[in-house]
């Protein structure tokens, strides 16, 4: 019995000694779940958990599972392990935050954790970067928490994120919508910039080795990463990530990423914006500064809770339109820019200016903009300096430029008016090349005259835009630029009527402008004409009467095409208040010298005109006339319910031209448009807005638009009009 007791005692001691040898404590349960994120790893990615000893060495026990979904989630449940220390290795494809696509190759990321303290452990770029450093620092069980915190803090500091180290990086997730998400997303994307999948994996391993030895990165590496960060479009990245998770069924938010970037290179991210909570504020105490013609010293207070400057990192220079299109000769200005210097006093929070005396007659203005370092917040100060009345200088060549543009518009309208006249079958069927328009054949899309009309029209628009841009650049926009904008508007109207969804360039450029729908093009044209009217009223004089009148009449025409009849009526009634317009006895008189009818037109005298050889020998191609204004008023007044007034307008026209008094408004309005305004580029627009094209012209709905010239199809992805 005694020997037996000794034996049992020895055995017990052996067990106790064996347990003590590894210093491993048995536990009831260790649980493990988490996320794998670069961007999120995709469903099916492999996740392996390795049991570690107190020295963080693998014990030989491991378990493998796969990521459950495209959010990167994994769940091991209860693990059959003795030690709380584990290493998690995840390998798989992931969502690329910069491209918005899933990677084709795979990436491996690591994380080390103490499961006695947490059941949920994430694997990400931060955990991967700190792993080797943690292993390098580890010196025993009692020090694990301390060395983990040290490694975690060092890694974050290497990226300027030291003020966000309150939580372990293995708790960070792209989905938490707070500081961890911001830190993780910025670093993950910045490291990935300009790298292939293979190169990224190699680069990441290189960073791990650098951190392992010293817990920091070389200064040149930090600067490279910082420059990557400030050059990325973070709005696009954030929007892409939100959309990605939405596809997986998860709604997430992304914090303001600017707080996680070291914009000024001082080694700390986000301190350029103060506290991480609250709105960013940057503005001038006043938005405008009026400077006398004598100049002087000025200071404007800046109200801000963030760092600011005249530029921000990654700011791109504005693209300058380059001439590559044939345009008419334009003009040079004998004028001077505002002469000033400006400095920032960031200590006092002031913008300081020294402005020299005005060098010319014209009022000059400049805009000075300050930006937050992320470029998301800005403040603009408008500086206006009075001109010196003693230094008046006339811009040279304005009328010459206008004359050249008018010549191009006349040439384009020459073709377009001829096309419209035959297309509406208001004249006898021609027995020549124009017959295809009369018969509405598809073959017109290859017609050289159609192509010529389009090309010359856009040459005229390019010339007008160039003149407009020059005047705006010279700070003389209110002087003559409405004239150029009006000429452009005159050209856009027949283009929209004939083709519908057209390019609508607003500035001189060789780049192809995107097409607007017919509705959007008319809306843009109406907005332009409203602006022109506000500016052009200052010109109310005999010299500019026709510019004022045609602007008002065209506004009425455009609103009619939009079906905005009350606005059309308002514009047309304003037009009728202009003095100097009245009926002529006949349409032939109305379109020749001495016309009281004509509001604006193109002189065909001594011009080899297609129109005069095919349609009529009028001297002028009309853009608008007194008769057209009254018929438009009759139509829109009827549309808004005043049939009696509408009939009165219609009969004013019929009486003047010795036509019988109208009794059937709808039928006789149509007949009057066709009889009196045929060939004046008015009847087709009338038929279109009243849904009469199919009935009156015997065409299909798609034939209410002409085909684009074949040379235009495919430019910038532009498609041919339907049916052709």
């Amino acid at each position: 019995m005694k020997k037996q007791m000794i034996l049992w005692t020895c055995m017990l001691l052996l067990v106790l000694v064996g347990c003590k040898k590894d210093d491993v404590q048995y536990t009831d349960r260790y649980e493990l779940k988490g996320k794998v994120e670069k961007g999120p790893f995709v469903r099916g990615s492999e996740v392996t958990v390795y049991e570690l000893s107190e020295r963080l060495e693998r014990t030989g026990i491991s378990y493998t599972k796969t990521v459950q979904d495209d959010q990167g989630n994994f769940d091991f449940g209860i693990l059959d392990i003795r030690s709380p220390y584990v290493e998690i290795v995840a390998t798989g494809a992931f969502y690329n935050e910069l491209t918005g696509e899933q990677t084709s190759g795979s990436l491996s990321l690591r994380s080390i954790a103490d499961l006695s303290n947490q059941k949920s452990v994430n694997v990400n770029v931060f955990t991967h970067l700190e792993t080797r450093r943690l292993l390098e620092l580890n010196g025993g069980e009692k020090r694990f928490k301390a060395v983990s915190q040290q490694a975690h803090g060092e890694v974050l500091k290497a990226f300027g994120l030291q003020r966000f180290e309150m939580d372990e990086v293995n708790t960070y997730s792209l989905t938490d919508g707070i500081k961890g998400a911001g830190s993780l997303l910025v670093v993950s994307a910045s490291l990935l910039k300009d790298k292939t999948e293979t190169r990224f994996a190699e680069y990441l391993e290189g960073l791990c080795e650098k951190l392992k030895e010293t817990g920091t990165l070389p200064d040149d590496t930090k600067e490279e990463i910082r420059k990557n960060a400030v050059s990325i479009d973070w709005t696009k990245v954030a929007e892409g990530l939100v959309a990605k998770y939405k596809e997986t069924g998860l709604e997430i938010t992304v914090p303001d990423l600017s707080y996680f970037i070291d914009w000024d290179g001082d080694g700390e991210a986000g301190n350029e914006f103060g506290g991480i909570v609250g709105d960013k504020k940057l503005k001038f105490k006043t938005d405008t500064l009026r400077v006398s013609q004598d100049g002087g010293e000025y200071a404007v207070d800046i109200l801000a809770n963030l760092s600011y400057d005249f530029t921000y990192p990654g700011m791109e220079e504005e693209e300058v339109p380059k001439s590559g299109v044939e345009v008419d000769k334009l003009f040079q200005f004998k004028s001077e820019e505002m002469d000033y210097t400006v400095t920032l006093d960031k200590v006092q929070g002031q913008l300081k200016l020294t402005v020299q005396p005005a060098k010319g007659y014209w009022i000059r203005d400049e805009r000075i903009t300050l930006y937050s370092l992320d470029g998301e917040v800005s403040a603009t100060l408008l500086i206006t300096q009075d001109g010196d009345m003693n230094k008046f200088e006339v811009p040279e060549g304005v009328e010459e430029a206008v004359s050249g543009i008018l010549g191009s518009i006349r040439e384009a309208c020459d073709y377009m008016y001829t096309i419209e006249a035959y297309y509406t079958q208001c004249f006898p069927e021609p027995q020549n090349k124009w017959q295809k328009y009369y018969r509405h054949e598809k073959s017109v899309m290859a017609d050289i005259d159609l192509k010529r009309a389009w090309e010359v029209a856009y040459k005229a628009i390019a010339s007008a835009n160039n003149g407009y841009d020059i005047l705006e650049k010279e700070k003389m926009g209110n002087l003559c630029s409405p004239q150029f904008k009006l000429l452009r508007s005159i050209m856009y109207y027949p283009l929209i009527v004939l083709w519908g969804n057209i390019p609508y360039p607003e500035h001189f450029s060789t780049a192809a402008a995107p097409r607007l729908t017919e509705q959007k093009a008319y809306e843009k044209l109406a907005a332009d004409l409203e602006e022109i009217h506000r500016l052009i009223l200052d010109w109310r004089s005999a010299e500019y009467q026709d510019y004022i009148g045609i602007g008002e009449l065209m506004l009425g025409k455009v609103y009619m095409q939009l079906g905005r009849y009350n606005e059309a009526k308002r514009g047309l009634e304003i037009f009728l208040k202009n003095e100097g317009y009245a009926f002529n006895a006949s349409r032939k008189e109305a379109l020749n010298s001495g016309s009281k009818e004509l509001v604006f037109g193109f002189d065909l005298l001594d011009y080899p005109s297609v129109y005069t050889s095919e349609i009529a020998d009028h001297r002028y191609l009309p853009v608008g006339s007194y008769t057209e204004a009254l018929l438009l008023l009759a139509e829109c007044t009827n549309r808004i319910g005043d049939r009696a007034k509408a009939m009165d307008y219609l009969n004013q026209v019929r009486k003047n031209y010795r036509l019988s008094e109208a009794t059937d408004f709808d039928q006789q309005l149509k007949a009057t448009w066709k009889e009196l305004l045929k060939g004046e580029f008015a009847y087709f627009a009338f038929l279109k807005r009243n849904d009469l094209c199919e009935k009156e012209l015997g065409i299909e709905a798609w034939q209410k638009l002409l085909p684009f010239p074949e040379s235009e199809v495919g430019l910038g992805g532009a498609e041919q009009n339907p049916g052709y």
Side-chain angles (χ1 to χ4, degrees):
M1 185 69 180
K2 194 171 188 182
K3 288 183 179 179
Q4 193 174 19
M5 287 291 294
I6 292 171
L7 180 63
W8 279 107
T9 302
C10 290
M11 291 178 63
L12 181 60
L13 286 170
L14 285 171
V15 170
L16 292 173
V17 168
C19 291
K20 188 135 181 158
K21 181 180 177 183
D22 292 322
D23 272 343
V24 175
Q25 299 180 358
Y26 288 94
T27 182
D28 294 328
R29 316 169 73 84
Y30 289 122
E31 300 179 32
L32 176 61
K33 62 180 179 179
K35 298 177 184 283
V36 187
E37 295 171 319
K38 164 56 187 81
F41 273 42
V42 300
R43 183 193 303 268
S45 298
E46 186 175 277
V47 184
T48 301
V49 56
Y50 299 92
E51 183 188 56
L52 302 179
S53 71
E54 65 177 20
R55 298 180 180 85
L56 303 184
E57 298 168 341
R58 293 181 182 181
T59 65
I61 298 173
S62 65
Y63 301 94
T64 299
K65 288 200 172 187
T66 57
V67 169
Q68 303 166 332
D69 50 38
D70 289 337
Q71 298 174 13
N73 287 299
F74 63 87
D75 190 348
F76 282 85
I78 306 298
L79 287 169
D80 186 14
I81 57 177
R82 299 177 299 166
S83 170
Y85 306 116
V86 294
E87 178 186 3
I88 308 163
V89 180
T91 303
F94 61 90
Y95 169 77
N96 186 316
E97 310 96 307
L98 298 182
T99 66
E101 303 292 334
Q102 179 182 315
T103 60
S104 57
S106 61
L107 175 73
S108 291
L109 297 178
R110 303 168 67 190
S111 182
I112 292 178
D114 178 0
L115 296 185
S116 64
N117 296 320
Q118 57 185 131
K119 298 177 181 179
S120 181
V121 180
N122 296 337
V123 184
N124 53 53
V125 169
F126 281 140
T127 65
H128 189 78
L129 289 171
E130 78 167 8
T131 295
R132 291 182 199 177
R133 179 60 174 167
L134 191 155
L135 293 173
E136 183 74 10
L137 294 171
N138 186 60
E141 181 182 357
K142 293 182 179 179
R143 297 191 60 206
F144 179 82
K145 183 176 181 180
V147 299
S148 175
Q149 288 178 341
Q150 181 180 338
H152 157 76
E154 288 173 340
V155 169
L156 290 181
K157 188 176 181 180
F159 297 99
L161 296 166
Q162 52 268 36
R163 60 175 177 163
F164 303 118
E165 61 177 298
M166 62 292 299
D167 299 312
E168 292 288 342
V169 291
N170 63 22
T171 66
Y172 285 11
S173 172
L174 297 173
T175 65
D176 63 23
I178 52 178
K179 301 169 188 177
S183 300
L184 185 58
L185 180 55
V186 166
V187 172
S188 292
S190 299
L191 296 180
L192 184 58
K193 190 175 187 304
D194 298 329
K195 297 177 183 66
T196 63
E197 295 167 23
T198 302
R199 173 70 184 109
F200 174 67
E202 295 171 352
Y203 181 72
L204 203 58
E205 292 310 298
L207 295 180
C208 289
E209 282 301 307
K210 291 174 182 177
L211 287 163
K212 172 185 174 182
E213 299 299 326
T214 62
T216 189
L217 296 173
D219 289 344
D220 58 345
T221 302
K222 292 181 183 178
E223 181 61 14
E224 176 192 359
I225 297 169
R226 190 189 73 83
K227 287 182 177 179
N228 285 346
V230 302
S231 66
I232 291 173
D233 183 348
W234 291 107
T235 299
K236 181 180 179 182
V237 170
E239 290 174 348
L241 191 69
V242 170
K244 171 63 180 176
Y245 275 105
K246 190 173 182 178
E247 289 177 5
T248 70
L250 182 65
E251 298 282 347
I252 71 164
T253 59
V254 176
D256 186 345
L257 298 177
S258 59
Y259 286 100
F260 306 93
I261 300 167
D262 183 9
W263 298 96
D264 57 10
D266 69 347
E268 184 174 351
N271 63 337
E272 301 86 351
F273 309 107
I276 196 167
V277 294
D279 295 331
K280 298 175 183 177
K281 182 174 72 174
L282 175 61
K283 66 178 185 178
F284 289 104
K285 192 173 184 178
T286 179
D287 294 329
T288 59
L289 176 66
R290 186 71 177 264
V291 178
S292 78
Q293 69 179 50
D294 298 323
E297 303 281 341
Y298 301 87
V300 181
D301 290 337
I302 303 165
L303 309 177
N305 62 355
L306 46 74
S307 299
Y308 52 83
D309 214 321
F310 295 116
T311 61
Y312 57 87
M315 186 176 185
E316 296 181 359
E317 294 183 6
E318 295 183 358
E319 293 185 3
V320 180
K322 298 180 180 178
S323 177
V325 180
E326 180 189 356
V327 297
D328 299 288
K329 181 182 178 182
L330 289 172
F331 41 86
Q332 299 294 322
F333 290 96
K334 296 179 180 179
S335 58
E336 300 286 344
E337 297 286 347
M338 186 189 303
D339 186 357
Y340 69 96
T341 58
V342 59
T343 57
L344 278 178
D345 186 338
K346 296 182 180 180
V347 176
Q348 296 187 38
Q350 289 184 327
L351 181 79
K352 295 184 176 180
L353 300 104
T354 302
V355 185
Q356 302 301 319
K359 295 183 178 182
Y361 170 80
W362 310 108
I363 295 175
R364 302 308 228 169
D365 61 66
E366 293 286 345
R367 287 171 172 80
I368 296 176
T369 301
L370 299 179
Y371 300 91
S372 61
L373 297 188
D374 61 352
E376 295 296 321
V377 185
S378 63
T380 298
L381 175 70
L382 174 64
I383 309 168
T384 303
Q385 183 175 25
D386 295 333
D388 187 341
M389 301 294 288
N390 297 315
K391 298 179 179 178
F392 179 79
E393 294 176 283
V394 178
E396 295 180 351
V398 173
E399 292 306 320
E400 180 185 353
V402 170
S403 178
I405 296 167
L406 284 170
S408 293
I409 297 176
R410 175 189 62 194
E411 185 180 354
C413 287
D414 188 13
Y415 289 100
M416 287 192 283
Y417 276 49
T418 305
I419 290 170
E420 192 262 4
Y422 282 135
Y423 204 78
T424 56
Q425 300 178 341
C426 288
F427 296 86
E429 182 175 353
Q431 302 302 308
N432 55 24
K433 65 179 183 177
W434 296 99
Q435 189 181 58
K436 53 182 166 288
Y437 290 97
Y438 189 95
R439 295 184 174 184
H440 313 117
E441 296 175 358
K442 288 187 179 182
S443 61
V444 300
M445 66 181 165
D447 186 65
I448 188 66
D449 294 319
L450 184 85
K451 184 174 184 288
R452 181 65 177 165
W454 178 274
E455 289 177 345
V456 178
Y458 276 98
K459 173 190 172 185
I461 289 169
S463 298
N465 282 340
N466 198 15
Y468 176 81
D469 289 347
I470 290 174
L471 285 163
E472 290 294 302
K473 182 181 179 182
E474 294 294 327
K475 314 301 180 192
M476 303 174 74
N478 291 348
L479 177 66
C480 297
S481 65
Q483 191 174 7
F484 289 97
K485 206 167 186 177
L486 179 60
L487 294 176
R488 183 184 78 187
S489 300
I490 289 172
M491 193 73 272
Y492 275 133
Y493 179 75
L495 283 167
I496 302 171
V497 171
L498 293 179
W499 280 281
N501 53 326
I502 65 165
Y504 200 114
E506 296 184 76
H507 299 282
F508 180 74
S509 174
T510 59
R515 290 184 188 172
L516 301 182
T517 64
E518 186 171 0
Q519 174 79 13
K520 292 292 185 183
Y522 276 129
E523 289 174 353
K524 181 69 182 93
L525 182 54
D528 280 352
L529 288 165
E530 289 279 13
E531 179 187 5
I532 292 163
H533 187 253
R534 289 193 298 271
L535 296 172
I536 214 168
L537 286 178
D538 295 335
W539 301 1
R540 202 170 282 283
S541 66
E543 184 180 359
Y544 293 109
Q545 177 61 51
D546 290 343
Y547 282 101
I548 297 169
I550 193 58
E552 292 166 345
L553 178 52
M554 283 200 61
L555 190 58
K557 292 165 70 168
V558 173
Y559 279 137
M560 288 296 293
Q561 296 305 112
L562 286 168
R564 292 159 61 173
Y565 302 113
N566 284 302
E567 291 166 282
K569 181 174 179 290
R570 169 178 61 83
L572 293 165
E573 287 177 341
I574 292 173
F575 163 76
L576 287 181
K577 293 178 182 178
N578 290 299
E579 298 179 358
Y581 302 122
F583 287 119
N584 282 103
S586 68
R587 296 309 296 164
K588 187 174 181 65
E589 288 183 20
L591 301 180
N592 280 286
S593 298
S595 172
K596 296 180 290 183
E597 274 258 1
L598 195 63
V599 183
F600 199 94
F602 302 106
D603 193 348
L604 300 177
L605 185 67
D606 300 326
Y607 173 74
S609 168
V610 176
Y611 184 87
T612 53
S613 64
E614 287 287 333
I615 306 301
D617 60 352
H618 305 145
R619 177 168 178 174
Y620 291 98
L621 278 179
V623 177
S625 69
Y626 186 70
T627 292
E628 185 181 10
L630 285 178
L631 290 179
L632 286 165
L633 260 175
E635 185 181 340
C636 72
T637 304
N638 179 64
R639 287 277 194 173
I640 60 180
D642 192 347
R643 176 61 68 93
K645 187 65 173 177
M647 190 69 83
D648 177 60
Y649 284 129
L650 174 59
N651 280 322
Q652 285 184 48
V653 175
R654 293 183 65 84
K655 180 180 179 180
N656 179 75
Y657 292 108
R658 295 176 293 280
L659 301 173
S660 62
E661 185 176 350
T663 55
D664 184 330
F665 180 83
D666 294 331
Q667 286 300 317
Q668 288 174 295
L669 177 68
K670 176 176 64 84
T672 306
W673 273 94
K674 185 174 183 179
E675 175 65 23
L676 297 180
L677 296 182
K678 61 183 179 182
E680 298 185 24
F681 208 94
Y683 188 50
F684 192 34
F686 169 81
L687 294 177
K688 288 181 72 171
R689 65 177 175 263
N690 288 284
D691 296 322
L692 294 172
C693 288
E694 293 95 327
K695 178 182 178 183
E696 297 298 322
L697 303 180
I699 61 177
E700 302 291 333
W702 57 269
Q703 292 174 298
K704 290 190 289 186
L705 297 177
L706 291 180
F708 295 107
E710 292 180 325
S711 58
E712 295 299 311
V713 179
L715 293 177
E719 298 180 353
Q720 181 60 274
N721 271 334
Y724 293 97

